């Protein structure tokens, strides 16, 4: 079973991480490097793709590792291996053999298969702490990297029983330097978790997006924000995701089978009501549909939100019309601050063809009246209760 202990100690107990080697300058590796550089960490970069390495360096993510030099004379505190799952064990073994760092970690989104192969290849498991930052984008390459990609995200650490505690602490510090929250759990628990919250949802997103291939032009012109939200991650690299899914096949298949059963039951119920909408189909016939929608809403409410806490359904939404011009959102936040009200979350809906949009402000219920009055007095078009 996994546990949520992150080994968090006092500032004095945290290991000093001053020099990091990042092996792999794709989206995740470069984002890690940029985040560490923003915290003053010396970062050296390595990648067999010279163009990717050069771009990452030009972005300020670090400087190239001298491949011909002997790294064991001045090893990095931590080496972060940002490679595909199948490549990590061999890259790890080579890095350890040349003494690249004191501690090693990776950023792959699957853990059990990587650990098993690393052990089979004779890697030093005392200095290897597998990791997985829960941040990403549908875009790839160093050009898509962002220093804030992991800000406020969980960062899974999956050490084996052979891992040195100081190695675990060093990798946890890497996560914190990147703005993430380190969480320790075992590899199998990790893989089951990401099957549920990442891998199966990606397949589901792809399944929805795949239906659009056969959609006619008229249908696609009606596409709104809902379908864009659902299909956003489907824009990911198919080759990369095929490898990820292969390495986590059984847990993902289990989630997809449960989803397929839900969808099949819903489809059967809808088929039974086809052409009978005006007759008022029985509640029993529609029970699978309503059940799925209710469970879907409940599941959505369990997704952690601000500060990693579960979404608080008691937040009230206040729609405010804002002009689509520079500084308008800043002025709105300033007005809320002047009223002494904290905005817990915000969503912005743009109005196509019009120079304005709607900012949906999430606030605690007891702050609604105060904020609505203050914003209205400041000239904003406020619509509480809508």
């Amino acid at each position: 079973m996994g546990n949520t202990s992150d080994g968090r100690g006092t500032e004095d107990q945290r290991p000093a991480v001053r020099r990091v080697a990042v092996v792999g300058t794709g989206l995740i590796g470069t984002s890690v490097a940029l985040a560490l550089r923003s915290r003053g960490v010396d970062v050296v970069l390595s990648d067999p793709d010279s163009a990717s390495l050069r771009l990452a360096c030009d972005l300020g993510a670090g400087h190239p590792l001298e491949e011909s030099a002997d790294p064991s004379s001045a090893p990095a505190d931590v080496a972060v291996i940002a490679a595909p799952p199948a490549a990590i064990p061999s890259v790890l073994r080579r890095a350890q053999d040349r003494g690249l760092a004191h501690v090693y970690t990776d950023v792959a989104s699957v853990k059990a298969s990587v650990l098993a192969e690393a052990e089979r290849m004779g890697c030093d498991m005392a200095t290897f702490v597998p990791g997985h930052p829960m941040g990403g984008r549908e875009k790839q390459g160093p050009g898509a990297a962002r220093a804030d990609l992991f800000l406020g995200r969980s960062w899974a650490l999956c050490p084996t029983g052979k891992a040195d505690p100081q190695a675990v602490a060093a990798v946890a510090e890497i996560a914190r330097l990147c703005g993430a929250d380190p969480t320790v759990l075992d590899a199998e628990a990790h893989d089951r978790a990401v099957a549920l919250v990442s891998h199966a949802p990606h397949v589901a997103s792809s399944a929805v997006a795949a239906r659009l291939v056969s959609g006619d032009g008229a249908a696609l012109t009606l596409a709104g924000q809902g379908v864009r939200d659902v299909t956003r991650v489907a824009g990911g690299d198919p080759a990369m995701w095929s490898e990820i899914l292969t390495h986590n096949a059984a847990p993902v298949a289990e989630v997809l089978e449960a989803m397929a059963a839900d969808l099949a039951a819903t489809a059967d119920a809808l088929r039974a009501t086809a052409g009978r909408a005006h007759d008022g189909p029985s509640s029993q016939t529609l029970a699978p549909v309503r059940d799925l929608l209710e469970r879907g809403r409940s599941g959505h409410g369990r997704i952690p939100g601000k500060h990693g806490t579960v979404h608080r359904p008691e937040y009230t939404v206040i729609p405010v019309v804002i002009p689509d011009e520079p500084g308008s959102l800043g002025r709105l936040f300033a007005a809320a601050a002047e009223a002494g009200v904290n905005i817990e979350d915000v969503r912005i809906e743009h109005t196509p063809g019009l120079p304005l949009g709607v900012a949906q402000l999430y606030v605690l219920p007891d702050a609604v009246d105060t904020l609505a009055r203050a914003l209205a007095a400041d000239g904003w078009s406020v619509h509480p209760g809508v």
Side-chain angles (χ1 to χ4, degrees), residues 10-11 19 63 85 98 125 151 199 231 255 296 311 334 339 360 376:
T10 65
E11 292 290 337
R19 188 167 187 265
H63 53 94
R98 66 186 298 214
M125 306 307 289
L151 191 62
H199 298 170
T231 61
V255 177
H311 170 68
Q360 297 177 325

Side-chain angles (χ1 to χ4, degrees), residues 34-377:
L34 288 170
L36 294 175
R37 290 289 297 123
S38 72
R39 299 296 298 273
V41 177
D42 179 29
V43 178
V44 293
L45 303 170
S46 175
D47 196 299
D49 184 338
S50 59
S52 179
L53 175 61
R54 188 166 54 252
L55 177 54
C57 292
D58 288 348
L59 290 170
H63 53 94
L65 173 69
E66 294 295 335
E67 298 293 347
S68 59
D70 179 12
S72 62
S73 61
D77 297 309
V78 179
V80 179
I81 300 173
I88 287 170
S90 60
V91 174
L92 171 64
R93 180 60 192 267
R94 289 196 298 270
Q96 289 181 332
D97 286 348
R98 66 186 298 214
L100 181 61
H102 296 295
V103 175
Y104 302 83
T105 186
D106 75 307
V107 295
S109 67
V110 290
K111 296 274 77 87
S113 63
V114 169
L115 268 171
E117 182 63 12
E119 290 204 81
R120 191 194 69 79
M121 293 186 64
C123 296
D124 178 10
M125 306 307 289
T127 60
F128 179 44
V129 181
H132 178 206
M134 296 302 295
R137 303 182 67 189
E138 66 276 14
K139 300 178 181 179
Q140 301 299 313
R146 291 169 36 176
D148 64 350
L149 189 63
F150 314 111
L151 191 62
R153 305 287 187 176
S154 294
W155 191 306
L157 309 182
C158 304
T160 68
K162 299 177 183 178
D164 185 282
Q166 290 304 309
V168 178
V171 177
E173 185 63 8
I174 290 287
R176 282 189 283 265
L177 287 170
C178 291
D181 181 23
T183 300
V184 177
L185 71 168
D186 65 47
E188 288 75 15
H190 166 274
D191 288 358
R192 291 193 301 270
V194 295
L196 178 65
V197 303
S198 176
H199 298 170
H202 187 97
V203 177
S205 175
S206 296
V208 174
R211 296 301 92 213
L212 303 179
V213 172
S214 59
D216 61 34
L220 295 179
T221 60
L222 300 179
Q225 193 58 44
V227 74
R228 296 178 194 276
D229 289 342
V230 170
T231 61
R232 180 183 62 81
V233 297
D237 178 20
M240 180 190 75
W241 273 98
S242 293
E243 181 174 343
I244 290 171
L245 295 170
T246 299
H247 279 262
N248 201 23
V252 175
E254 183 177 346
V255 177
L256 291 178
E257 286 164 355
M259 293 172 59
D262 279 339
L263 293 174
T266 301
D268 289 343
L270 292 174
R271 183 68 64 189
T273 66
R276 296 170 50 193
H278 295 293
D279 297 334
S282 69
S283 58
Q284 183 176 359
T285 303
L286 284 177
V289 179
R290 182 174 294 276
D291 174 66
L292 179 60
L293 296 175
E294 292 288 354
R295 285 188 289 120
R297 183 167 64 175
S298 297
H300 177 266
R302 296 193 65 201
I303 298 174
K306 185 181 179 184
H307 307 311
T309 58
V310 173
H311 170 68
R312 297 175 60 173
E314 66 268 25
Y315 287 159
T316 299
V317 180
I318 300 180
V320 181
V321 177
I322 58 172
D324 187 8
E325 60 187 33
S328 60
L329 192 58
R331 294 195 301 274
L332 178 61
F333 282 178
E338 183 69 23
V341 175
N342 186 51
I343 305 300
E344 304 292 339
D345 200 356
V346 63
R347 300 285 188 272
I348 299 177
E349 295 291 341
H350 296 284
T351 305
L354 294 177
L356 49 81
V358 176
Q360 297 177 325
L361 307 181
Y362 289 69
V363 300
L364 293 173
D366 57 7
V368 171
D369 290 342
T370 299
L371 181 60
R373 286 196 299 269
L375 293 180

